[in-house]
Amino acid sequence: MATRIHVVGCEVVTCLGKSLGATWNALVAGQSGIRRHEHLTNGGYLQDVGGIVADFGPGSGNEDAAVAKLDSRFLHLAMAAARGAWEQSGLSAKSGGFDPARVAIAIGSAFGGLDLLEAEQSRMASRKNLAVSPYLIPGMIINQAAGQVSQHLGLYGPSVAPANACASGGHAIVLGALLLRAGEADLAICGAAESAFIPAVVNGFATMKALLGRRSGDRAEADPTQASRPFSVDRAGFVLSEGAGMVVLATQSAVESLGLQSLAVLEGWATNSDGYHMAMPSRDRIVSCLQASLRNAALAPEAIAYYNAHGTSTVLNDKVETEVLKLVFGAHAHRLPISSIKGALGHSLGAASAIEAAITVQALREQTIPPTINHIPDPVCDLDYVPNQARKASLDLAMSASFGFGGTNNALIFRRSA
Amino acid sequence: MTPIPLSDDLLIAEVVRVIRRAAKIPAVVAITADSRLVEDLCIDSLDLVGVVLQIQDHFDVAIEEDAMPHLARVGDVAAYLAGHAVVP
């Protein structure tokens, strides 16, 4: 029988808070981390609202000394979330009780250290010898997040760095689970980190009409916290943010032998590919992915009590995802509470999927569903999106799904731990 | 950009500041003219490239590849800079 896989640690660093607790409290209070930022307004960006982690990272004066030489924000975000998740698991205090070569690391990102690349390109152009910092290459490669976590937490198992756009974090969790199931590791630290606030990336998304952008007369003009509004009638694109999410996975035997606390069970999962379009989602392939996750967990659709949505606040995604849910859950779709925390957090691309997994685990623990904020009903999106106010509920099983450009999907199912 | 020449002491202090920042050397580690970059300050080969780059940027001086092996101590770096002064 396949080993049961537990979540034993969770941490997030988001524009709403630099810990899971702070982020959760703000989410259930209906707050938004989206602000208008002067450096975006004046810096050649086609969108000047975003979700930025305040007082954090390189140059903030309180950066993590262990990674201080590497000036890319995604690495600092990854390190902070990994330290927090590891601490919560209790494994940092059990050094010697487990084999560090049996701890896998799976940390993804869509873009890696593009902020460092941009800064160094600019410096390079100003130098006669065209030299760049020796920290550029180490600081921008996506697998450096896993590398730094390995180095500073002393973990030596297999490491992978999924770059699956906005699905990276969930894919990382699936890869970690697969390594545990394959017997390659007993523990895994999995997640993703992202900070892609450079003009070319923001403007690239804006040009694709994926971002809200700067829209005259939009309700975000006067109140930036209303910029991200998943499933709303006037949704008009996603709002970029940064952050990181990490979970620590453990096999049943590791939980028992190390006396770890199970926060939730990773009951099932699935990933698949659209084979359809470079950026537009395939409704039918996403349906297949969600159905496969239910099969993997041997669950009927009706068993799912909460669905944490990809819910980007784009016109297309939220419409397609609503159709997907009706096809996967049938009549249950109309009874199923659905929420997108991107209304509060914006879209942190690769990190979002991992942050949402951690928040889904927290929802099970707290028996509370975080709301979809800024919500105004849309006849096209006619399900229960838990609008604007958190809701207490009896939650045993919850699904979180994410879909990435390039046509890559994941669905994770978590069960409340007894 | 900092003009050279500075007085010896000021130049050493400025070089120390740039090295500390470039190699992220904590304030508790004392750096003097006699400090050896590799042995005393634990600056590895990658860090050394970063230090040299920062020195070049800060003082607007090109440090030739051939000179690098001779820059063992903080004082050697300062002496090199003093000898390659660009008088403003």
Side-chain angles (χ1 to χ4, degrees), chain A residues 148-238:
Chain A
Q148 291 300 297
V149 169
S150 161
Q151 187 177 332
H152 299 298
L153 296 184
L155 310 174
Y156 314 118
S159 83
V160 289
N164 290 83
C166 306
S168 300
H171 278 43
I173 293 168
V174 169
L175 285 170
L178 289 170
L179 286 165
L180 299 194
R181 278 273 167 89
E184 296 288 324
D186 306 317
L187 299 156
I189 184 159
C190 318
E194 198 81 68
S195 180
F197 280 99
I198 67 169
V201 169
V202 172
N203 298 353
F205 282 121
T207 306
M208 293 177 77
K209 308 294 182 197
L211 277 192
L212 175 68
R214 299 189 189 194
R215 297 162 63 88
S216 179
D218 190 276
R219 58 172 154 141
E221 201 169 38
D223 180 4
T225 67
Q226 296 192 37
S228 183
R229 43 206 192 233
F231 303 107
S232 282
V233 69
D234 62 346
R235 68 189 182 278
F238 78 82

Side-chain angles (χ1 to χ4, degrees), chain A residues 235 279-281 312-323:
Chain A
R235 68 189 182 278
M280 286 195 286
T312 56
S313 185
T314 63
V315 173
L316 185 62
N317 176 85
D318 297 359
K319 172 179 172 287
V320 169
E321 194 169 12
T322 296
E323 292 169 5

Side-chain angles (χ1 to χ4, degrees), chain B residues 20 24-32 40-41:
Chain B
R20 189 183 293 285
K24 310 284 185 191
I25 298 171
V28 294
V29 177
I31 306 178
T32 70
D40 299 332
L41 301 180

Side-chain angles (χ1 to χ4, degrees), chain B residues 1-4 6 10-19 52-63 77-78 81 84-86:
Chain B
M1 188 183 118
T2 298
I4 305 171
L6 299 165
L10 280 176
L11 181 56
I12 291 284
E14 196 66 12
V15 170
V16 166
R17 204 171 65 80
V18 175
I19 290 174
V52 169
L53 199 59
Q54 292 288 317
I55 293 278
Q56 293 185 126
D57 283 356
H58 189 81
F59 294 100
D60 196 24
V61 167
I63 297 178
V77 177
L81 292 171
H84 291 74
V86 178

Side-chain angles (χ1 to χ4, degrees), chain A residues 14-18 22-23 26-27 31-35 52-53 344-345:
Chain A
T14 74
C15 60
L16 267 182
K18 285 180 269 193
T23 298
L27 278 175
Q31 295 169 4
S32 164
I34 305 303
R35 303 283 182 274
I52 292 176
V53 182
L345 296 176

Side-chain angles (χ1 to χ4, degrees), chain A residues 275-298:
Chain A
Y276 171 63
H277 189 270
M278 67 181 83
M280 286 195 286
S282 160
R283 184 193 69 182
D284 293 346
R285 300 317 306 169
I286 295 172
V287 166
S288 298
C289 183
L290 270 55
Q291 288 174 333
S293 73
L294 289 164
R295 276 200 307 278
N296 178 280

